[in-house]
Every structure is written in structure tokens, then in C-alpha cells.
Amino acid sequence: MKRLRRHGQESQRERIKQELFQFNKAMEHGFPHQPSALGYSASLQLLAIGTRSGAIKLYGAPGVEFMGLHEENAAVTQVHFLPHQAGLVTLLDDNSLHMWTLRAHKGQSELLEIGRFTLTGPPGASPSVTSVTAVLPHSSGELLLLGTEGGHVFIVEVPGFRELEERNISLDQVANSVPEDYIGRRNLEHVEALQENPVNPDQIVIGYGRGLMVIWDLEKLCATQHIPATQQLESVWWTDDGKYILSSHSDGSYCRWMVGGEDGNEEEEEEEKSDIPYGHFPCKAISKIVQLPTKEGPPFLLFSGGMPRASYGDRHCITVIHSKTHVALDFTSRIIDFFVIKDGPRSAGEPSALVVLVEEELVIIDLQTEGWPVIQTPYLVPLHSSAITCSHHVSAIPLKLWERVIAAGDLQNTHYSKKPWPITGGQNLASDPPQRDLLLTGHEDGTVRFWDASGVCLYPMYKLSTSAVFHTDTDPNDNMNQSTEGEWPPFRKVGCFDPYSDDPRLGIQKIHLCKYSGYLTVAGTAGQILVLELNDEAAEHTIEAKVVDLLQGQEGFRWKGHTRLDVREDPVLFPPGFQPLALVQCQPPAVVTALTLHSEWKLVAFGTSHGFAVYDYQQKNNILIKCTLNPSDQLAMEGPLSRVKSIKKSLRQSFRRIRRSRVSLRKHHVNNAAKLQDANARLEAELAEMELAPVQRKIEARSSDDSFTGLVRTLYFADTFLSDSSHNTPSLWAGTNGGCVFAYMLRLPSVEHRADEPITAQPAKEIQLMHRAPIVGIVVLDGHGAPLPEPLEVAHDLARSPDMHGSHHLLVISEEQFKVFTLPKVSAKMKLKLTAVDGSRVRRAGVAWFGSNRTEDYGESGLMVLTNQGDVHVVSLPGVKLQVHYNCIRREDVSGIASCVFTKHGQGFYLISPSEFERFSLSTRNLVEPHCLVEAPQYSAPSTQHRPHANKASSAQRNARHESEDAEVLQEIQKSLEADQMLFSENNVKSALA
Amino acid sequence: MVSSAAPPTERASERARARSRMSRQQQQQQRTPLKVTDAVVEIKSKFEAEYRRFALKRNGPGGFQEFYRLIQTVHCIPGIDVILGYADVHGDLLPINNDDNFHKAISSANPLLRIIITKKEGEPLVFGTNSLQRRKKGLGLTGLRPPGSGATHSKNKQSLMIGLPQDFRQISSIIDVDILPETHRRVRLHKHGIHKPLGFYIRDGVSMRVMPQGVEKVPGVFISRLVRGGLAECTGLLGVNDEILEVNGIDVAGKSLDQVTDMMVANSHNLIVTVKPANQRNNVMPRGGKATIGNSGSVGSAGSTSSAVSHDSPSPASQSNPITASNSIAEGDSDDEDDDDVDLILENDCLAPYDSHPVTNSNNANLNRDSPGSMVARPLPQSISLPNSIGASVMMLNHNGNPTHAASSSQESMREDGNIITL
């Protein structure tokens, strides 16, 4: 009977769990790590980025995002949208082609891979024959032209990937007709570029590596013209009017060639214009060249590279020339690719924006506004413009604070273009976020960035820099961006990626924001704690630093780490936004390991590896200093030799930077085999090394002599029953690495005497956990078992006041177990062991509220826990029982696990690369993910119309053809979409037979 | 404890003993019948270079404390803390520090009882077999002599260290012999209260498993190294290359080395490892039908003079403590009832008030420091909350300290390794 009832309760509980918890990796925020390819569809208005890890990401209007991942763990080398379709083709560096489509499903679009294909040559042919180097989706949307390393051009029907052998353009066919006097006719090398004539889709130009370009007629299956360039070819561009071909070359030159008439009188064609724009001395290759006409006036000429090798060979530049304006845009990292967006219907208008994908960011330049300002990106923002050192999430920001932060941020963004975001494809169907959430990231350079994390786009709101408070190693007047007048090339720095920190001591380690009062506290690497206040006006402050000696007379100490930061003594003008109110510096200046702020009591508590202290930022004095150092702990005493390390590191970085810039940007396909061999050899060596020295782990109980037992891991303010069960008092709780909890009773004067009467702190309790595992969190639960509300939350009527009648409980979260103690008399009540049972340890823990997805008014508080195995658990409160667990992060991804932050509503963020946050949710109710729809463009318009000056005769002819075939084609596409699997297998069979 | 360690079957006990290399010396001595020779024991005691001779009534009522004071008086060293040792019939130097071993010493006098006195703070007196002969050569080997007859004793000249009786406690046992396969061994290591390191390392390796479809290689975790003098080595129950199968009843298959490490560290106060010994020759045969549940073949450095504190598996009494009771109710199971895992809680009345104002950087905060020195200055805590279940542990801690201060507060004994609490 009892068992039966219990069974019923259990199934009921299971049902509630299903209503509350659900794990979803919702989306990725930030900039893709190691992008390797860029694509753009003018008709869909979508941008596609492929990465070295095989991911493909599509972006349209803000909120319109898609992501796909290739099964192969190979880099995406090229991305091409198919004309007039919601589909694209990717080329990976394993030479496989993949077809992706955006398919509508339940009113939303999904990115799906619908086919894959690998070129197979005749038996016995070397793999280079079919190694794809150039891809051209034909404007008909039916053909894909694949240029290979062997110099052949294969023609494949899409989307089914059916090889059209009879139309292939073999190297022999081309070589036979090459003029006798052409210097490189013996070896034309690989196909470097394929371009279609914008006005005549039957004509394509094939650019061979050796320099020769051949205009080929797809209908007549013959070469109509040969362009005998002799420099190694880098790229080809066919101008919109179809009259000229531009070629760029490895010696930093570009040439313009006239395209002859249809009759193909070859001898007339000559190199019309040749130029080495940054000439005289040897230049680097121009890797891509684009020329775009304007309605009136001269065209835009854009090209990447071509810098003088010796003096500016390490710059990553795109040169834009329009009329008299000539600017060499100097980017922060290697240029992957670029394209230009044109205005107007069918993108037939003026060039409006230049979109450049560099290795670390996406930069969009407004070409229609004077001075070509940068347009701020609403997504793909480089989170890592300085390395992220910590993050902090604040849910449900009050509107007032939100608006003030935005206002402060707007004043920082005046240098951006006023133009709206030019990439507008797709519809964002996601409903407005239910609340305003802020994600704060601390960075190595001492900045704190505020991101709007409410919705799909992680949008930058405001940037706070703490370095103005200190004297740093570099002179602020030494502005890198200053360009000298008359410099040649005319450089202009663009982009915000700047990984080089002036002083590693500035790095932000802990952040705490009170959303009700607007007080912010940040703490850094050199033991500095700043309390800041939001001020809407610019103001001048003289910052006085208060030094706190955390050693408290501890003997035998020698700090060998970095020194304290020097504080500026003269008044500093701070712009509107968060302005410093108080500064505390720890002595020894060890990194701050715990920080909390109580805005109602106006207290800030902070801890390092030596101890902790409480500072009253109203009266500006210390309330409490406690040394937690174990006298035998030499490591903690001496501190890390971080300064030395950082110099080494920065040296290494700069060498790497130089080396990277010297490595040729292209020709990846040439030495693929060598690279592979190299990698294999390295892997083998690593494996051998591993076998020689097996990894050993010491099994030892923790003792009080272990290093860093005194390191303060967590600090917590609570208004609870510390001394007796009838009076609640303010209290501070501190947990150390050695499993020790200290509790202090705080005596606060009444509000009217708050400014003059001193605050006192009195030790109340000490708990030494038997298992001595580091304490990661402390929470006080009220009489209902709910966590105490945040300071001022009740005052703002945003939370139910805590139950002060029932007995409070103390939840201590150590790396190994969760333990609930009674209060005020501390005795263990319940516990949940984690490590002893499954060997995982708690890395992060946070209290969250989970709402049921079935009934609006039901919800529970729970503890979200991330372990060192990368699993997320939900632990019930106050019963400390495991509810659910999911695998979230790879256990090897240590930095991902370390970067995880939880929100108060059951979501979380962690870094999947230095520049990307993964957003996940454990809640059924709170889930932010893209909901968007992209509709395939109407295919009624002939392809030629999106380039002006069409050859009227041919276009008219093709119009007729297309219109009649329209329905047919659509049907066919639909059919092949459905049958893609079959076709795919057919292709394989066919290829194998061939 | 000694008697509980006696295995029921001869074969099993022999194997267990052979493996354990534990001394049963004192056990045997206890069994030797008393020789009633005289009513008086001749005593020759030596302190530094001074000898004293005196006589003592053999069956006099005196206990160890009395004898200790007598020795101090005889040698005119009233204020000095000393350690007493005596030479037994085999020429071993054995300690006298409680009533039991005092009586043992008196009864073994034949008729002369040689007492050796050393200052506590001086060079520690090394007790052990053959120690009187070997002392000058300096011995410090921790090897344990296999038990058995005098023949093995004479054959194996390796001497045996004998700890002071207050150190005596069970440190390990082989458990669940009756339910495990012969090839496996479940070893319980009692780290509790012992200041020896657990002393072993583990590594990844490849284990061969015999499957129906043949031999299969699976990843496994193995003991890679034993630290000399560590608990693992002392027990003799764990060896290099033993494969670790379970930690406190949880299968480690599929777990990473780090996970197994963390599990072991988390259970380090009461670690039960199930191993597949690399050396399969010393396996314990499972007992027949008369097997008792619990400790079968308990092996420990048992001493006849050890106190009555028992550290066997949790006693029923300790299981009834309110914490575990409520816990097991809450969790709906009773998988672990480890009473060792009890935290030390110092309530407010024992913490000195923090002198908060005026707070300066050079604030005198030694009231608040954790250093042992300041602890003494601090008023003794009035309430140290120690649940009943660790009453035993507290006793043990007391016992663990200096016997002469055995009556001092538990607070003091808990400060042993320099921090407030070490349970």
C-alpha cells in the first residue's frame, strides 16, 4: 500500500519535472571562431559564414539566424548561394560539396543539408584532377561549375548533383586553342577563378593559375577568347556591363581587359590597363578585386591585399578607390573575404555597403555616407575584442536602469554610421523577449561590456573602461589610431578587435551589479575593487584608493607577484555612464576571487587567496578584515609570477602575429597533403609521448596543509537568524577553498544614522566541512525553502518578502556535496553527495526559478549546477535532491566549463570559443532561440536583370525561355528536394562507375 | 578487536596473515601462561646515563600512572615528560604507557624488568622487535614481520616497528569476502584519525576481460605506485598494478581517471576499494555457509594493549543519530550512513567578538586568527556542536593526543595539525 502510494507520488513528480525542466542548446551568440568562408545572397539578403570546424551560419535581419554543422570535421573553404533559391552549396577542404536548403516547416525555416557530392575522376587519375578549387553557381540556378586543381571544369546539375559529362571543359580542350606564343601554355595550372558574364549567362571566364584566362561559351562548347596574362592569377572580376574583365595577380598588380564581341576575333583583345597600385617595391598579391559602377560618376574599385611587402606586408588591407577618394582600410586580422551590397530593388542600385569578414570580426562600411563610417553590427559582434576574463548575468532589469545604460552607450557610439543595418533577409518571428536581461563581460584590458541578452541578438549596449582610474604602462596619448597626414598608402584603422592588453593587472575578474540601485562593483587581477555608480552626466572625480591589508600581520610572508596598480591622483573626467565612487586595493595585490555587493546596506565584500574584507562605500571605510591564510601555505603567500609570464606571453603572441602574417594567405590546396602528413606525424609523436609517461593521480585526503585552502571562493550577504531564532540580523558569509565557512553578524545603524555611526561586524560561526572540499556557493533559504531575495528586490515590490517566521536554512555548496544546515543553531539536516557517487565535482552553481509550462502560476526554485564533467544538474530546494541532469559541455572543454554563467530563470551561457557564447536553457518556459522565416525569392525575374545594361537581345530571349520553364523548374526543384537522398545515392553509384 | 580479527577457518586465516604481515606477537604473549616465580619484580631502570634498581610488588594494586610517578620520583625527574619502555623476553623494546601494557610488562619480568626512560622531546624512543640490539645501528624500517612461529622470526631478521598504543587502531580490513568473486578483493582503508597519507597513485591502463566472445581489452584504472610508509603500503592489501573495480560500492567502469580520483578523494576518510589484485596468489577463499556479514578477515595493526575504542564498521548506535536518520528518510534510501562525515561547527559564543572600530589597516586582529597560538589565548568554546555519532571520534582524538593530557578539552586535541579542526 505504502509502496503504491509512493509510486504514485513518484510518477506525479516525474510529470512535474517534465513540466519544469527541459534541456536545450538554444543558440550561439558572438562571432564564429575561425571563420573560413563568406557567402552572400543578394536576392535572399542573407549572409553565410563557414568555419574551420565545419559549421555554416546564416544571418539576415537581426534575429534571423540559422546554423548547420557538417558531419565531416573539415573546414568550409567556400560558400555559394544558388541564384533564386533558398539554398547554398558549401565546399569543404576534404573536397566534398554539400547542398543546404532553407525549408519552411511549421511556419519557420530550418537549415537542412539535403545532399552531398564528391567529384570522382576517371580511374587511375591523380586526386588533384578532381580537387575542387573554384566553384561557380550558374545564374540559371541549375548548374554548378567546378574548377579543379587539374585544370578541368566539371559541370554538375543541382540540386541533385548530377554530373553533365558531355559539357565538361577539360584542360586539353582549352590548351589546344591557347595561342602558340603564350609563355605558360605548357602548364596552365589549376583553375583559380570562374566568373559568369553578367549580361550573357552562356559565357564564363576560366582563370588558370598560370595567368591565362579563357572565355568559354557554354552553349557552343568552345573558347571564344583568350586573355594571355602572364602573372600568377589571384582573382577575376567581370564588370557589370560585361565589357571588361579585371584580373588581380600575385605580384600586387591588377589588369583590366576588354571583352571582345560575340564573333570572337581574338587578336584584338589586349590588356587595356595594368597597374600595381602600391608599386615601386615588391608588393603582396591582390587576392580579390571588385569593380562596381555608380549611376553617375566613376565606379568603385575595391581590392584586398597588394601592400608593399617589406614595409606593410603585415597589414590586412582592403583598398577602396572611388573618384578621388582612396583609402586603405586597415583591418585587425586576416581578411577572409569581402563583398559589396548594392541598393535598390534586386540590388541593382548604387554600392551601399562594404561587408568584410576578417578572422576575428565582421566589419561593415557605409559607402554612401561621407567618410565611409562603420555600421554597428547587431550580431556577430566580437565578444573577444579583448579576451573575456569573466561574465555576470542580471535578469529582469528595471526599465529605468535599462534606458540609462542605453543612453550612456549611445553617447559612445557616435562614430558609427546612422544607416540602418543593410542585411535584411528573412522575417524574425520570435516574440518580444519577456524581460530585459543584461550580460556583463569583464575583459583583460579592464573593460566591462554590457550586452543586451534578452533576445536572439547579443547586442552591445555600453562599454565601461576602468583603466582611466589607473596609470598604465602605456601613455594614453600614444594613440595607435592616429594617422599621419599624407601617409602612403592612406591607411585607416577599422574594427575593434584588439587582443593586446596594456597591463594584465587591469583584467576584470569579478562583477556584481545591483539592478535596482545601479551600483556596480568590479574587481580585478591586481586586487583592485571599484564601486561605480550610474551617472547621466559627465563628471570629474578624484579617486582615492583605500588599501586593505588582508594579511593582518601574518608573519613570514613574501609576495612575489605583481605590484598594486598606481592610482591617478589628479582628477579624471569620466563620461556619462558608470563612474567610480570608491576604490579599494588589496594588499597583497592578489587576484580578487570573490565579490559581492549589498546596495541596501551599502557594503561590498571581497576576497582573495589571503582573506576577505567588508568595505562600507558610504562611509568609505573598512568594516571587517579577516585573514584566512594558512601559515604553511607558501604558494598562496608568494603569489604567481604573473608579470613575468605575461611578458613572455605577449612576446610569444607578437611573434606569432608576425609569423602568421608572413604565411601566404592562400594556396591551401597546394600543400594539403604535406600539411596532413605533418599533422599525422605530430599526432603520432604526441601519442608516443603519452604512452611513455602514463598519467598518474595521487589519492590523498585533503588536509589543512594543502595549498590555497584559505582562498576565498564565495561571499554572501543575508538577512537571517544568525544568533537566535527570534531576531534576524544582517550577516556576511564567506566560504574558502579549504571547506571552511565563516559567518559574521553585521550591526547596521538605523537609516538616519547610517552616514555617521559605525557598522560593526562580529564573528558568529565557523563551519569546517569534514571533507574539506572548496566551497562554491552559500545560500540562505527562508521558511518556505525559497532562497532569500536580492537586496532591494522586496523594496521595489518585485519579490515576495522572505518568510521570516519559519526557520531559515543554510545551503552550503561545496565542490563535492550539497549540505543543508539549520539556523540559527547550525546542525546538518540534509545532504547530497555528488563526487563520492559519480566522481564529478561542482564547478558552478546558481539558484534559478523554474516555471511550469503547463500552469502559469506553478514554479519552483532550483539549484543549477555545472560539474567538471560538463554535466548540468538541477537540484531541488530545499530538499537537495537531484532532479534532472544533462550533458552540456564536453568534459575536455575546461575553459568552456570555467566560463559558464547561469541566469536566474534557468538559462545559461558558456564560451564555446574565445568569441562565442553558447546559450542553453534548462527551463521549459524560458528559452531564447531564433524563430524566423526565409521565403525563397520569386523566380519570375530573369537573372540578368539584377545587373544593369543587359544585353537586350539575349536577355529577352532568355526571359521567354525562363518564364515558360518557370513552373517546370520549380516542380523539378521540389521533386529533387524530396528525392535528394535517392539522387545522392544514385550519384555515388554513378560516380563509382565512372 | 584482536579477537574479532581471528579468522574462523585455518586456511583463510593463514592466507590473510601471510598477506597482512601483521604482528601477532603480543597476542601470543598474552597467551603465554604467567610464570609465578616471585611476589616481587626486580626493576632496573635507565634514564640517560643513570641507572636505578628497585623492586615492585608483582600483584600490587598500582596502575600505570602510579608507576610513572614512581619512576619520576626514583630518577628525581618530577617535571619532565618521559616515555617508558621495557625489554621483553625476546629482547624487543616495548612501550609502557597504560595499565594494560604496564601489567603485561610486570608479568613478563623474569624476574628482572629492564625499563628504559627517554625524554619526550628528545630523540624518540624507537620501539620494535630486536630494537635493543639494533638501536645503535639505527633502524627505521617500517617493514612488518610476518606473523607466526619463532622460526620465522629468526629467519626473517627484518625488525618490526611498533607504534605507541595510542596509535593503535584498525587501519584496514578485507570485507565482503563471502560475496565477492575469489579474484577480487574489497579493502577498507580507515584513514580516520591516522596521520599517515593514504599513499597511493592511480593511472589509466588496459584491462583484459574474458567475455563469452573471447578476451576483450577494456580501459581500466590501476594502482600505479605506493608511497613508502603510506597507509596503502602498510596494510599490504593493495599492490602496484592492482586494477580498481569499485570505489565505495560504485563501479568505476567508464569513468575517467580524474573522476575515479575525485571519487576516492571524496571518500578518503572511509575508502573502500574493490580491486582485482595483480598478484592472485594471496586471495582469500570465501568462507562457507557460516559466513558472517561484515568484516571477514579483518586485518589491522591490532595491539593487545589498545584501548577499547572500536573503529569497526559503523555501530548500530551511531546509525541512529538524527542527521543520518533524517537524511535517509529524506533521500528515501539508506545507501550511505557514513558518520565520519561530520563537520565541525563553532557557534558564536565561542568566537571572540571582532574589534571592529576603529578599523585600520594595521588592525590588531590576532583575536581572529586561526593560528594555533591565538587559539590558546581565545576563551575555550562553550559549545562545540558535535553530533552524538562522532562521540567515538572525539574519544579517539583524545586518545590520539598526549596521554597525559587526555583529559584536556576536545578543542585542543582538535588543533593537532595547526588548524582549528581536524576531525
Side-chain angles (χ1 to χ4, degrees), chain A residues 674-718:
Chain A
K675 241 192 228 164
L676 200 69
Q677 263 182 1
D678 214 47
N680 277 340
R682 230 181 302 131
L683 199 68
E684 260 168 32
E686 270 169 36
L687 282 174
E689 205 171 289
M690 266 158 65
E691 273 161 27
L692 280 175
V695 185
Q696 285 192 104
R697 291 280 183 272
K698 192 180 187 179
I699 305 299
E700 209 47 77
R702 291 200 181 82
S703 86
S704 57
D705 295 336
D706 288 351
S707 276
F708 293 109
T709 49
L711 188 143
V712 179
R713 287 287 293 266
T714 183
L715 289 161
Y716 180 68
F717 283 116

Side-chain angles (χ1 to χ4, degrees), chain A residues 646-803:
Chain A
S646 80
I647 285 171
K648 251 191 217 163
K649 198 176 161 196
S650 67
L651 271 176
R652 198 165 53 223
Q653 271 172 348
S654 38
F655 275 119
R656 236 179 244 162
R657 194 187 191 193
I658 292 164
R659 210 180 315 140
R660 201 168 39 209
S661 68
R662 293 218 174 118
V663 173
S664 170
L665 308 182
R666 314 235 4 222
K667 305 287 174 268
H668 50 93
H669 43 267
V670 179
N671 48 15
N672 245 355
K675 241 192 228 164
L676 200 69
Q677 263 182 1
D678 214 47
N680 277 340
R682 230 181 302 131
L683 199 68
E684 260 168 32
E686 270 169 36
L687 282 174
E689 205 171 289
M690 266 158 65
E691 273 161 27
L692 280 175
V695 185
Q696 285 192 104
R697 291 280 183 272
K698 192 180 187 179
I699 305 299
E700 209 47 77
R702 291 200 181 82
S703 86
S704 57
D705 295 336
D706 288 351
S707 276
F708 293 109
T709 49
L711 188 143
V712 179
R713 287 287 293 266
T714 183
L715 289 161
Y716 180 68
F717 283 116
D719 188 0
T720 188
F721 301 96
L722 196 57
S723 54
D724 64 275
S725 50
S726 49
H727 299 96
N728 52 313
T729 54
S731 62
L732 172 76
W733 299 79
T736 71
N737 225 20
C740 195
V741 176
F742 299 93
Y744 282 78
M745 201 197 304
L746 305 171
R747 288 219 175 84
L748 294 156
S750 56
V751 180
E752 53 268 29
H753 298 293
R754 176 64 182 84
D756 38 74
E757 275 184 29
I759 297 174
T760 62
Q762 190 180 356
K765 290 178 200 305
E766 278 182 42
I767 304 167
Q768 172 66 59
L769 295 182
M770 161 71 198
H771 60 284
R772 293 187 179 281
I775 290 170
V776 263
I778 297 172
V779 179
V780 173
L781 308 171
D782 73 3
H784 298 300
L788 292 187
E790 285 172 59
L792 293 174
E793 201 171 343
V794 176
H796 282 70
D797 283 336
L798 286 152
R800 201 182 45 185
S801 50
D803 183 74

Side-chain angles (χ1 to χ4, degrees), chain B residues 15-89:
Chain B
R15 279 167 182 264
R17 266 189 268 170
R19 188 173 47 254
S20 72
R21 304 183 297 171
M22 284 295 158
S23 169
R24 300 297 162 99
Q25 177 101 13
Q26 303 198 349
Q27 224 171 302
Q28 287 161 8
Q29 284 167 8
Q30 207 169 36
R31 286 196 211 106
T32 35
L34 293 175
K35 277 185 199 168
V36 187
T37 45
D38 243 323
V40 179
V41 181
E42 284 178 48
I43 292 177
K44 181 182 176 186
S45 66
K46 175 181 178 258
F47 175 67
E48 290 176 342
E50 291 180 16
Y51 287 89
R52 295 281 189 277
R53 275 174 177 276
F54 56 97
L56 203 67
K57 264 191 196 149
R58 190 180 286 273
N59 38 14
F64 168 69
Q65 288 297 335
E66 216 169 292
F67 180 67
Y68 185 79
R69 277 191 290 275
L70 177 68
I71 291 283
Q72 281 187 321
T73 327
V74 167
H75 280 273
C76 310
I77 45 166
I80 300 172
D81 283 348
V82 291
I83 296 170
L84 307 185
Y86 73 101
D88 83 334
V89 281

Side-chain angles (χ1 to χ4, degrees), chain A residues 188 306 350 438 534 558 604 731 831 861 885 964 968 974:
Chain A
L188 295 176
E350 303 278 295
L438 256 185
L534 190 54
R558 225 180 122 220
V604 60
S731 62
K831 73 175 165 199
S861 284
H885 78 275
S964 62
E968 216 176 297
Q974 191 57 40

Side-chain angles (χ1 to χ4, degrees), chain B residues 137-159:
Chain B
K137 295 173 194 166
L139 60 107
L141 294 176
T142 50
L144 297 173
R145 191 182 60 168
S149 60
T152 39
H153 178 195
S154 58
K155 231 186 282 171
N156 189 342
K157 281 292 177 190
Q158 199 187 23
S159 66

Side-chain angles (χ1 to χ4, degrees), chain B residues 70-312:
Chain B
L70 177 68
I71 291 283
Q72 281 187 321
T73 327
V74 167
H75 280 273
C76 310
I77 45 166
I80 300 172
D81 283 348
V82 291
I83 296 170
L84 307 185
Y86 73 101
D88 83 334
V89 281
H90 303 289
D92 297 343
L93 179 62
L94 299 175
I96 304 178
N97 54 5
N98 59 25
D99 288 353
D100 284 347
N101 54 17
F102 168 65
H103 289 303
K104 177 71 200 153
I106 295 292
S107 65
S108 66
N110 194 14
L112 181 72
L113 177 65
R114 285 158 68 202
I115 301 279
I116 289 145
I117 307 162
T118 40
K119 266 199 233 170
K120 191 158 258 179
E121 56 271 28
E123 179 207 353
L125 190 57
V126 179
F127 298 108
T129 53
N130 292 337
S131 44
L132 288 184
Q133 289 92 323
R134 293 210 171 188
R135 257 181 93 196
K136 282 164 200 145
K137 295 173 194 166
L139 60 107
L141 294 176
T142 50
L144 297 173
R145 191 182 60 168
S149 60
T152 39
H153 178 195
S154 58
K155 231 186 282 171
N156 189 342
K157 281 292 177 190
Q158 199 187 23
S159 66
L160 173 65
M161 272 277 278
I162 298 173
L164 286 172
Q166 69 264 22
D167 296 335
F168 283 24
R169 61 180 42 80
Q170 189 180 27
I171 57 164
S172 62
S173 50
I174 300 182
I175 57 173
D176 297 340
V177 179
D178 42 345
I179 55 169
L180 284 175
E182 262 176 61
T183 52
H184 296 177
R185 181 188 299 160
R186 187 166 291 167
V187 178
R188 181 174 204 152
L189 295 175
H190 303 254
K191 166 74 181 136
H192 217 71
I194 289 173
H195 296 293
K196 264 183 187 164
L198 281 170
F200 66 102
Y201 290 75
I202 58 172
R203 63 167 170 87
D204 278 322
V206 177
S207 167
M208 306 292 255
R209 294 276 164 83
V210 183
M211 299 291 184
Q213 60 271 30
V215 178
E216 201 176 294
K217 281 184 180 178
V218 290
V221 176
F222 296 84
I223 294 176
S224 62
R225 188 153 84 82
L226 299 179
V227 178
R228 282 201 80 176
L231 189 57
E233 193 202 53
C234 289
T235 65
L237 299 177
L238 298 173
V240 172
N241 294 333
D242 288 0
E243 185 186 353
I244 291 160
L245 304 170
E246 288 177 3
V247 175
N248 287 52
I250 292 154
D251 195 353
V252 302
K255 292 204 156 58
S256 70
L257 184 65
D258 288 332
Q259 270 176 295
V260 177
T261 306
D262 287 335
M263 284 168 75
M264 287 186 158
V265 171
N267 288 302
S268 56
H269 56 276
N270 178 24
L271 183 62
I272 302 167
V273 280
T274 310
V275 293
K276 189 173 149 199
N279 178 358
Q280 288 282 342
R281 277 172 297 171
N282 294 329
N283 290 337
V284 181
M285 291 299 164
R287 283 183 278 170
K290 52 180 175 178
T292 52
I293 299 159
N295 291 3
S296 46
S298 164
V299 183
S301 64
S304 61
T305 51
S306 169
S307 73
V309 177
S310 164
H311 280 276
D312 274 347

Side-chain angles (χ1 to χ4, degrees), chain A residues 35-50:
Chain A
S36 52
L38 175 71
Y40 178 68
S41 164
S43 54
L44 292 174
Q45 293 259 341
L46 285 181
L47 169 87
I49 295 177

